[in-house]
Amino acid sequence: MNTLYQQHIATLMQRYENAMVHFKLEAIVIASGHKTYYFQDDHSHPFHGYSGAQQWLPFDIGADTFLIIQPGQKPTLVWPIRDDFWHAPNPIPEGEWQNNWHIEPARRDDKWFQNLPKQSAWLGPKSDLEKRDITSCDGLNAYVDFAKAVKTPFEIQALQQASQSAVHGHLAAKQAFLEGKSELDIHLAFLSASQQTSAQEPYPGIVGLNEHAAVLHYEHKAINALPNSRTLLIDAGANCHGYASDITRTYTRHQDDFSALITGLDTLEQSLCQQATTGVAFRDLHQSCLVDVAQLLKDHKICSLGIEEQLEKRIPQVFFPHGLGHLLGLQVHDVGGHQIDSSGQLSMPDDHAPFLRLTRTLEEDMIITIEPGLYFIPMLIEKMQAEVAHHGCDLERIQHFMPFGGIRIEDNLQIKSESSINLTRQAFQALE
Ligand code: GLY
Ligand code: MN
Ligand code: MN
């Protein structure tokens, strides 16, 4: 890991040195952020360090940690000393990573920033204490965010590891579903097998049985086991050094027309994964997905209209209302997905795909998700009935599918020019 980590630091130094030349800076200070608290309470929200700081360190960064980046110098890590007997001590992690850093332990009100060069810029969240001293630099955030989309080998290894950990959890969750367990118990099985607490998950795991599978970001975990659990949709990931996996699987119990729909969506998803290679505009891939969903609706006798007419009437969007995927990294919906360039110009999605989080052209070693879905969402079906004349949908067949909720299948891909690497399917193959 150390060679990969060293290379990673060298790449980040290069990116930041370019930024300092571009913005005429002598130093950049990156803050991890500080704890925030529930209103009128002494409990803090779970802490997630700012991704721009986390990116530099091979362990989970804590609050009140600062990095100082200067051209041609080892970066400095300002490590928080906590005089606090209420919480666990905060020792500096051992390891070879330290060779790449100058480490400066400091207390909260130490004036470690007083000797910084005049042209220093701040990156990341600021507390009131810090507001006075170092100013932000317009455009710096967008500049560094744009580069984050292409991952270094160190980051790719972490993302692979995050997929592997999550897949342990997914296999345990599938088993718990087949045993008829509740949403809560399925989630607990996932957490235990992926070796994490719910606060450590990169995003709150989505565990929906039956109709709950139609709620895109279903946020509850019902305690009761159902006598007839037909479908499990689980969208859950894990972390490695702060890098996330974001994986969805949908299971059912019987061989029937709903399982045939799952197989159809799985084939569609794998075909899109194969098409996701260097140079492909992600907007176009999303459009291909809409065409494929229209075909699936026709093949499974949900909608009798031809593909063109379905697209014209936006029928696929009734059943697949979200985007095909997004950048993945330290943030699950990683930054920079709409950026055209490092100046921060944006390319927003078209109105027929308003929730698309990625409008960039794919580049080698971007990590993205591919996550088509097909759901029976009462609100959207009613809206279609009210607004679309001659929609061609078989409402009885839709009623038949509604108790199953819906389907999403989501993999994490490392983009390559010939054939991208499916980190998720690799992990399932290694463990199943
Ligand atoms: N888990 C959220 C998403 O798939 O984007
Ligand atoms: Mn996702
Ligand atoms: Mn997901």
Side-chain angles (χ1 to χ4, degrees):
M1 123 136 166
N2 203 44
T3 318
L4 289 189
Y5 179 65
Q6 274 172 348
Q7 283 174 5
H8 174 69
I9 292 293
T11 302
L12 293 186
M13 279 305 298
Q14 189 60 59
R15 289 180 190 171
Y16 274 71
E17 285 182 7
N18 292 346
M20 285 186 270
V21 170
H22 186 83
F23 292 101
K24 301 188 172 47
L25 295 169
E26 297 165 282
I28 297 175
V29 178
I30 314 173
S32 69
H34 40 277
K35 283 190 177 178
T36 54
Y37 291 81
Y38 293 97
F39 185 58
Q40 291 189 337
D41 204 341
D42 58 1
H43 283 284
S44 58
H45 302 115
F47 178 77
H48 287 265
Y50 162 52
S51 64
Q54 177 64 70
Q55 193 179 22
W56 290 81
L57 293 168
F59 48 82
D60 287 352
I61 197 167
D64 305 315
T65 308
F66 304 92
L67 318 179
I68 304 169
I69 315 298
Q70 288 178 271
Q73 295 185 30
K74 255 190 197 184
T76 296
L77 172 62
V78 182
W79 186 264
I81 302 175
R82 296 199 187 118
D83 299 314
D84 171 3
F85 53 82
W86 294 97
H87 299 100
N90 184 36
I92 300 170
E94 300 286 337
E96 287 179 51
W97 69 272
Q98 291 195 3
N99 299 336
N100 297 281
W101 290 88
H102 167 68
I103 301 176
E104 193 176 318
R107 290 193 160 73
R108 183 91 181 102
D109 44 10
D110 281 356
K111 298 277 182 219
W112 52 265
F113 40 80
Q114 277 185 339
N115 298 326
L116 285 171
K118 198 161 173 296
Q119 298 303 326
S120 295
W122 186 275
L123 205 53
K126 262 188 175 180
S127 72
D128 288 344
L129 187 68
E130 293 141 0
K131 278 207 168 85
R132 298 186 294 268
D133 299 289
I134 311 161
T135 52
S136 307
C137 164
D138 283 348
L140 178 58
N141 220 72
Y143 193 98
V144 296
D145 281 356
F146 188 69
K148 280 183 188 153
V150 172
K151 272 42 182 191
T152 66
F154 169 79
E155 291 176 304
I156 289 165
Q157 193 181 56
L159 286 151
Q160 264 169 345
Q161 182 61 53
S163 254
Q164 283 163 14
S165 302
V167 166
H168 281 285
H170 273 266
L171 294 174
K174 177 184 181 184
Q175 187 56 33
F177 164 65
L178 293 175
E179 289 167 9
K181 299 255 170 78
S182 67
E183 290 171 353
L184 175 64
D185 283 335
I186 294 170
H187 189 222
L188 292 175
F190 170 81
L191 292 173
S192 171
S194 58
Q195 294 278 285
Q196 57 184 332
T197 66
S198 56
Q200 288 170 320
E201 286 181 283
Y203 57 95
I206 298 163
V207 181
L209 290 174
N210 300 350
E211 289 85 348
H212 294 161
V215 182
L216 300 181
H217 284 173
Y218 174 66
E219 62 271 64
H220 305 295
K221 313 283 180 312
I223 295 172
N224 57 311
L226 301 178
N228 57 344
S229 61
R230 295 172 286 270
T231 319
L232 167 67
L233 186 153
I234 172 163
D235 180 346
N239 267 309
C240 176
H241 307 323
Y243 290 87
S245 53
D246 178 11
I247 298 173
T248 310
R249 288 293 180 268
T250 308
Y251 304 108
T252 190
R253 281 173 196 286
H254 305 293
Q255 296 294 319
D256 53 18
D257 45 5
F258 186 70
S259 70
L261 208 48
I262 297 183
T263 306
L265 192 78
D266 190 59
T267 306
L268 181 163
E269 193 260 5
Q270 293 196 55
S271 155
L272 290 165
C273 287
Q274 271 163 12
Q275 294 168 56
T277 49
T278 310
V280 170
F282 201 73
R283 282 176 196 281
D284 295 346
L285 205 56
H286 178 83
Q287 186 59 30
S288 300
C289 182
L290 289 171
V291 172
D292 292 350
V293 167
Q295 187 65 53
L296 199 65
L297 293 172
K298 193 161 173 57
D299 292 348
H300 289 257
K301 304 193 176 354
I302 296 167
C303 181
S304 61
L305 302 183
I307 309 307
E308 279 308 315
E309 195 175 351
Q310 281 196 49
L311 291 173
E312 212 174 284
K313 295 183 168 170
R314 299 193 179 179
I315 304 293
Q317 289 92 328
V318 173
F319 299 90
F320 168 52
H322 57 77
L324 176 60
H326 49 85
L327 294 171
L328 179 68
L330 287 163
Q331 286 165 237
V332 177
H333 299 150
D334 214 7
V335 291
H338 293 149
Q339 271 183 246
I340 295 174
D341 55 27
S342 56
S343 80
Q345 276 208 73
L346 299 179
S347 165
M348 297 312 284
D350 311 319
D351 77 336
H352 75 277
F355 302 117
L356 188 59
R357 290 189 166 97
L358 177 56
T359 51
R360 287 169 70 163
T361 296
L362 299 179
E363 293 173 49
E364 176 120 350
D365 293 337
M366 279 182 170
I367 304 279
I368 65 162
T369 68
I370 294 286
E371 50 180 305
L374 200 148
Y375 315 86
F376 300 94
I377 302 174
M379 184 198 299
L380 298 185
I381 290 163
E382 283 160 24
K383 189 165 182 292
M384 174 192 76
Q385 282 179 259
E387 293 177 3
V388 184
H390 311 298
H391 51 66
C393 289
D394 181 338
L395 298 174
E396 252 179 56
R397 193 149 169 78
I398 289 172
Q399 283 300 328
H400 161 74
F401 281 126
M402 269 195 178
F404 294 92
I407 310 166
R408 179 162 64 255
I409 297 172
E410 177 174 25
D411 287 339
N412 304 167
L413 284 197
Q414 177 186 356
I415 299 302
K416 291 286 173 198
S417 57
E418 294 293 313
S419 168
S420 294
I421 299 171
N422 191 319
L423 303 182
T424 308
R425 292 203 187 237
Q426 269 187 350
F428 271 106
Q429 273 157 18
L431 294 172
E432 260 173 340

